[in-house]
Amino acid sequence: MKMRSLICLTLLFLFGIFGCSQNKGPVKALIVTGQNNHVWQVSHVAIKQILENSGLFTVDIAQSPATGGDMSGFKPDFSAYRLVVLDYNGDRWPEETDKAFLKYVQNGGGVVIYHAADNAFRKWKEFNEILGFGGWEGRDETDGPYIYLKDGEIVYDNSPGPGGSHGAQHEYVLNSGNAKHPVTKGLPGKWRHAGDELYDRMRGPGKIKDVLFWAYSSPDTGGSGRNEFSIFTVDYGRARIFHTTLGHAGRTLEDNTAMQCTGFQVTLLRGAEWAATGKVTQDVPADFPTETKTSLRINYK
């Protein structure tokens, strides 16, 4: 019995050493890009720099063929990564790639949905459940309810109408919806985001888990007049899904205000770490924006 106990303890000790070592060091992340109705040539580079400049991630790029190209060979190995960042809105992936992505998510993979990636694949039901909600591409009431915040409660509104819109780009205030979540903990309850689109009238079949930050979409700027979700998590099985509608890409890395916003970069980093690991180890930076003042990191670090 003593020998058996000793062997068990030895195995546990060795598993602890080697098992833990697999999770040490930077997180391996994959950005999926290559097609988008936005300037993906800028956005994916900015995201890569934000992630890698933090020292928390190493990043690979899965770049699809151009729109209308042969997609049959586009088969990223999602299983090799702890985090997948979606910066893609374009031609449908091969069936094998669809299945591999679903398997990755259903096995508990970490996913970041960035900005117009929530426009993608309107007809793929499971993908839209992973998004939580989406917009444009002809979405309407058949694609799920409008999802927004009213009197502090999540509303699933089955009213008919198109899904996805935004008014003029402008600065706006983000409001915390859950101050205890690892992503938001320690961040200001209100902070001013640099000039950006404010997605509204979004709809879909998914379930929102945590409303992290929301913003009022004012009719004065062409908005919905509702409190709209800007950053949130999605309830989808074992997966950790972080969705940010922020960060409309500019024409160049230098002319890219929404992605240079410190608030965008910090929440993206915190959301990415949470999606990959379930926790956030980052301190709240001194340059985080306040309710009345924006802050920029023009070099993405």
Side-chain angles (χ1 to χ4, degrees), residues 210-226:
D210 304 292
V211 181
L212 302 181
F213 286 103
W214 58 270
Y216 176 64
S217 182
S218 174
D220 293 341
T221 56
S224 64
R226 298 171 177 165

Side-chain angles (χ1 to χ4, degrees), residues 15-243:
F15 179 80
I17 292 175
F18 294 109
C20 291
S21 66
Q22 293 177 355
N23 291 330
K24 288 183 177 179
V27 170
K28 286 187 65 178
L30 178 71
I31 299 175
V32 182
T33 191
Q35 295 182 35
N36 211 304
N37 58 314
H38 291 61
V39 189
W40 63 266
Q41 297 90 339
V42 170
S43 58
H44 85 276
V45 175
I47 292 170
K48 186 176 191 291
Q49 290 188 17
I50 292 165
L51 294 179
E52 291 192 330
N53 285 341
S54 73
L56 296 172
F57 300 90
T58 58
V59 179
D60 292 332
I61 304 297
Q63 182 176 323
S64 75
T67 302
D70 181 6
M71 293 289 287
S72 62
F74 185 63
K75 299 176 182 178
D77 182 9
F78 301 109
S79 66
Y81 299 90
R82 294 174 66 192
L83 181 71
V84 172
V85 181
L86 298 179
D87 177 28
Y88 184 90
N89 176 31
D91 295 341
R92 186 64 182 269
W93 299 336
E95 182 178 358
E96 182 180 339
T97 303
D98 286 1
K99 290 179 177 178
F101 179 71
L102 278 182
K103 183 178 180 181
Y104 170 81
V105 178
Q106 291 167 352
N107 285 342
V111 180
V112 168
I113 297 147
Y114 155 72
H115 199 56
D118 63 21
N119 298 185
F121 304 146
R122 176 191 172 193
K123 296 298 184 181
W124 183 4
K125 181 177 182 294
E126 294 87 355
F127 185 82
N128 282 272
E129 291 174 349
I130 291 166
L131 295 179
F133 65 35
W136 294 274
E137 305 301 323
R139 283 176 171 84
D140 59 23
E141 59 272 16
T142 64
D143 299 292
Y146 290 118
I147 308 176
Y148 53 90
L149 198 69
K150 185 176 182 180
D151 300 326
E153 299 292 332
I154 299 174
V155 175
Y156 294 90
D157 179 351
N158 290 300
S159 300
S165 64
H166 61 76
Q169 294 188 44
H170 63 289
E171 294 181 4
Y172 51 89
V173 173
L174 277 297
N175 305 272
S176 178
N178 183 343
K180 296 181 179 180
H181 192 278
V183 173
T184 57
K185 190 173 182 180
L187 297 179
K190 294 177 180 291
W191 57 275
R192 181 167 292 274
H193 180 38
D196 199 352
E197 298 172 342
L198 200 170
Y199 278 12
D200 58 27
R201 299 182 180 93
M202 304 293 277
R203 61 191 319 154
K207 296 296 180 183
I208 307 303
K209 188 172 185 180
D210 304 292
V211 181
L212 302 181
F213 286 103
W214 58 270
Y216 176 64
S217 182
S218 174
D220 293 341
T221 56
S224 64
R226 298 171 177 165
N227 295 329
E228 304 283 358
F229 301 157
S230 296
I231 306 176
F232 58 93
T233 71
V234 180
D235 187 358
Y236 188 86
R238 295 166 52 198
R240 285 187 295 269
I241 301 168
F242 174 82
H243 187 148

